[in-house]
Amino acid sequence: MKLLYRVLPVILSVGLFGCGNSSTQDNASASGTTVTEHKDNFVSKLPDTAPTLKVAMTGDLPPFSFQDDYGNMQGTDVDSIRAIGEEQGFKVEFYKETWQDMFDSVESGKRDLAISGISYKDDRAVRYGLSTPYFFNPATIMYLEGKFDIKDLNDIKGLKTGTLEGSKEEDTLKEMGSSVELVSRSTAFLAYQDLVQGNTDVFLYDMPVLQYIIKGYPEHKVKIVPYEAADAPSAQQVVLMAKENTKLIKSVNEGITKLKAKGTFKEIEEKWLGATEPATKSTLNNQQTN
């Protein structure tokens, strides 16, 4: 089994990845071997005096945020928050954190914001400051081609179903109770492995992640069935900030509005996922939000 995250040679528990120009260095030996820097090719157009915000992201969830061979952050959310910052006059530096630590670090003020495939949820809106949506991120069912004919959530009843711990899909599956056998994993990669190795029947997760997997693993023939409409609140991806940080929330929202008008987010989506059709032709009559 090939590793899903080919671009991730070393996983760090927590790391700082520079403000726009992240870099790591090869270890120099005691004999004086030359140190080689591998810098991110992004160059901010903002002046050195521009403020720098601390951004939390998982760094292990393609296509939203992951690392290249040298530890530089990349992905749709890296491009998105950099574009928002360039529009609104702030630079960013990235911190790799676990999923739950992202939320905790923003709430405590340790980080200014989090962006890493975060979907809107009502309980998050109560506890945190959420931006206006910037990316369509519907929940999706994935299964091996030819094994089933799944059209909606009703068709997964009785099946062994994998998903990511703490995700909106896990919430939906828990609401379905004993009608499904829930298998929650700590990473999307482990949940995907379960599916292709036959340990689960279906895998529920965010459509952009599954689209990215399909591009990288064409040897596994799968079907994906999105089950949230474009206007479903839980299908919207948002930036997460502290509830009381109204100034930053306003600035981020202004940036999102400007970039939507310019078509920037669509360009970012096509860069990482290619042109895709709206995920509105599946089971929208059975739509669930959480």
Side-chain angles (χ1 to χ4, degrees), residues 152-161 176 178-181:
D152 56 42
L153 287 173
N154 288 324
D155 293 334
I156 71 170
K157 291 179 178 179
L159 299 182
K160 196 170 184 179
T161 305
M176 294 178 70
S178 60
S179 66
V180 295
E181 183 179 350

Side-chain angles (χ1 to χ4, degrees), residues 99-140:
W99 178 258
Q100 186 55 51
D101 283 348
M102 280 197 312
F103 295 84
D104 294 342
S105 66
V106 169
E107 190 171 33
S108 68
K110 187 177 179 181
R111 310 289 182 238
D112 296 299
L113 60 87
I115 178 171
S116 201
I118 300 172
S119 298
Y120 175 90
K121 291 172 64 174
D122 288 340
D123 58 339
R124 287 176 186 161
V126 170
R127 186 168 181 176
Y128 307 99
L130 303 182
S131 73
T132 55
Y134 67 94
F135 198 72
F136 180 46
N137 184 11
T140 306

Side-chain angles (χ1 to χ4, degrees), residues 12 14-19 22-24 54 71 93-96:
L12 306 176
V14 177
L16 168 63
F17 297 92
C19 105
S22 313
S23 67
T24 59
K54 296 178 179 179
E93 57 186 19
F94 301 113
Y95 291 79
K96 184 179 185 300

Side-chain angles (χ1 to χ4, degrees), residues 220-238:
H220 298 300
K221 305 302 180 184
V222 299
K223 295 282 189 179
I224 59 171
V225 181
Y227 58 88
E228 289 180 306
D231 59 352
S234 61
Q236 312 308 317
Q237 199 162 299
V238 295

Side-chain angles (χ1 to χ4, degrees), residues 139-144 147-148 150 152-165 167-188 190-196 198-205 210 225 227:
T140 306
I141 304 166
M142 174 188 277
Y143 63 96
L144 296 178
K147 192 171 182 180
F148 304 104
I150 294 174
D152 56 42
L153 287 173
N154 288 324
D155 293 334
I156 71 170
K157 291 179 178 179
L159 299 182
K160 196 170 184 179
T161 305
T163 192
L164 183 71
E165 292 175 355
S167 64
K168 62 179 179 179
E169 291 83 3
E170 184 185 55
D171 291 345
T172 296
L173 292 169
K174 286 180 177 178
E175 290 174 3
M176 294 178 70
S178 60
S179 66
V180 295
E181 183 179 350
L182 174 60
V183 180
S184 296
R185 289 294 207 165
S186 59
T187 69
L190 292 175
Y192 174 67
Q193 273 192 319
D194 282 341
L195 178 71
V196 298
N199 298 324
T200 55
D201 299 311
V202 294
F203 172 25
L204 268 63
Y205 199 51
L210 302 190
V225 181
Y227 58 88

Side-chain angles (χ1 to χ4, degrees), residues 44-90:
S44 175
K45 296 179 181 178
L46 298 175
D48 293 341
T49 54
T52 299
L53 300 189
K54 296 178 179 179
V55 176
M57 50 176 48
T58 63
D60 61 3
L61 189 60
F64 303 128
S65 68
F66 58 105
Q67 295 168 269
D68 65 16
D69 291 337
Y70 309 114
N72 300 312
M73 284 290 191
Q74 59 180 327
T76 58
D77 280 339
V78 173
D79 289 354
S80 294
I81 194 59
R82 279 175 168 166
I84 294 170
E86 291 295 295
E87 191 71 39
Q88 294 302 107
F90 62 82

